[in-house]
Structure formats: C-alpha cells, structure tokens
Amino acid sequence: MLVAAAVCPCPPLLVPDVAAGAAPELDAARTACSDALGVLAASRPDLLIAIGPADLTGSGPHPEGATGTFEEFGVDLAVRLGRDLGTAAGRPLPASLAVGAWLLARTGWANAPVEALGVVETLETGRCADTGRALAARADRVALLVMGDGSACRTVKAPGYLDERATEFDAAASRALGAADTGALIALDEALGHELKAAGRAPWQVLAGAAQGAGLDGRLLYDDAPYGVGYLVAAWS
C-alpha cells in the first residue's frame, strides 16, 4: 500500500548545471523538493517508484540503474536511477524522470530500491487511477516520487502563452495536493489540462489512484510560477 508520496516539478532548470546563471531562481523549489524527499525516507518504504510525464518513447517502466542525460539541454551531465546494478543499458530516462533521478542522487537516496514509470501525458483519468492502484499493490510499503508541472500558460511569456483558465486550474491542483484530496485530483479535467500544457495532470491522477483508501495527510511546500509554469511541491504521509 502507499505510505508516502513526494510531489515535485520536473523542469530541467531544476538542475543547476542546466539553469546555469539562473540557478538561484529555483533555490526555494529545490529546498522544498529536498524536504519532500525527506518525508519519503522517513516513511521507510520497501519500494520507491518515481513517476513522471513522458512521450511514447519514454513511457512505461524503467528499472533501477536506468540512466538519463541532459544533453538535449546543452549540458554534459548523466544521472542514474538509484543503484548501479551493473545491468546492460536500456532505454534512457525521459527528461522528467532524469530530473527525478537527479533529485534522488542529490539527497543521497539509499532507503529502498527504486523503479520508475513514464506516464503518457494524455493518459485518460480512469487509466491513471488504475495504474496508481496497481503501483500501490507492488509492496507492503510503497512510496511515490511524483514528477510533474502545472499549467504552462500563466503569463504571456510562458511556453503556452497566457490562458486565463490556467490560474484556477493550478489553484485547484494546489489545494488538492496540499490536502491529499484524491477525489479533487481525479476531478481535474484531463482535456483542460492538455490545453493548458499541464504535464503533471496524469502523474497526479496516478498518485490519486495509488492513495485511495490510504488515509494520508498532505502538506503543500511550494507553489509558484516563476517562468509562467506552475511548479508545486507537496509531501503526503
């Protein structure tokens, strides 16, 4: 069953080497992510599963030891998911899970085996919830690292330009994540989320499926949109 979850944004800019001179702008977000991962460690899970948005090539399971890079963002930096098990290299981690792997390495994660799952951003709400329930059944004590951004339409300089609906969409997600409200997460409109380029919608709804009946409490640790994209950090335990 699910015993804890950390929700973090997944922009590659979270990695200082990628952000370069702009790195200090996300220092507060990095600190919040570290705090959320501390909640995961304290939960003493048997298995940690990182989930994040991905295209078709990066969707599906990624084993412990899988690697990713930030070369497409102009940075010669490689990351590994959890331990190096000496297995042959498989598919590279999608960007969202590479950021997740970087966060885990940054905090020195060594509390439990780690796996990952790339979630197609357009995955239907019902299938998201079903996926979450299956993940929660993987071990007696499962923890999730949930990577995903809110809308990318909060300002005129945002990647998706300004959409007046974006603020309320992100506010609804923020309230739900802060309260560990699985029903409110399931209620997020998948079509609207797609229009607003909210990459976190599907991973958040996977979390909702995993947490149904778990009785977890939530705490919102960060809520901002520094580049016109909603970045949320929350911890559930």
Side-chain angles (χ1 to χ4, degrees):
M1 66 176 292
L2 187 71
V3 295
V7 178
C8 297
C10 60
L13 288 174
L14 206 59
V15 179
D17 287 358
V18 176
E25 297 176 14
L26 288 179
D27 278 348
R30 293 185 194 98
T31 298
C33 289
S34 295
D35 291 344
L37 264 66
V39 172
L40 295 187
S43 73
R44 303 176 64 86
D46 300 320
L47 174 66
L48 172 63
I49 305 173
I51 60 177
D55 60 19
L56 287 175
T57 61
S59 66
H62 296 266
E64 184 161 27
T67 59
T69 75
F70 296 96
E71 290 180 356
E72 64 180 296
F73 306 103
V75 175
D76 183 16
L77 176 65
V79 292
R80 184 181 302 278
L81 183 68
R83 299 167 297 170
D84 181 0
L85 301 180
T87 55
R91 296 179 301 148
L93 295 168
S96 67
L97 294 176
V99 174
W102 177 83
L103 285 173
L104 289 168
R106 179 175 183 258
T107 56
W109 180 268
N111 301 79
V114 185
E115 299 177 8
L117 180 71
V119 181
V120 176
E121 292 183 35
T122 55
L123 191 66
E124 299 89 342
T125 296
R127 293 185 61 194
C128 288
D130 289 344
T131 298
R133 284 188 283 269
L135 294 179
R138 289 283 312 280
D140 289 340
R141 300 181 63 82
V142 174
L144 294 182
L145 172 57
V146 183
M147 309 298 297
D149 301 337
S151 67
C153 303
R154 293 278 291 273
T155 68
V156 294
K157 293 185 177 181
Y161 196 65
L162 176 64
D163 190 312
E164 299 293 346
R165 303 170 296 175
T167 297
E168 178 50 37
F169 181 91
D170 285 350
S174 177
R175 290 191 296 269
L177 291 170
D181 188 337
T182 59
L185 284 179
I186 290 295
L188 291 175
D189 189 315
E190 64 181 78
L192 178 59
H194 180 68
E195 292 175 19
L196 297 176
K197 305 183 185 300
R201 190 276 310 170
W204 296 338
Q205 291 183 331
V206 172
L207 166 61
Q212 286 175 340
L216 302 183
D217 294 322
R219 184 161 54 102
L220 191 68
L221 303 178
Y222 182 87
D223 181 353
D224 202 356
Y227 304 111
V229 181
Y231 296 155
L232 301 169
V233 180
W236 293 17
S237 61

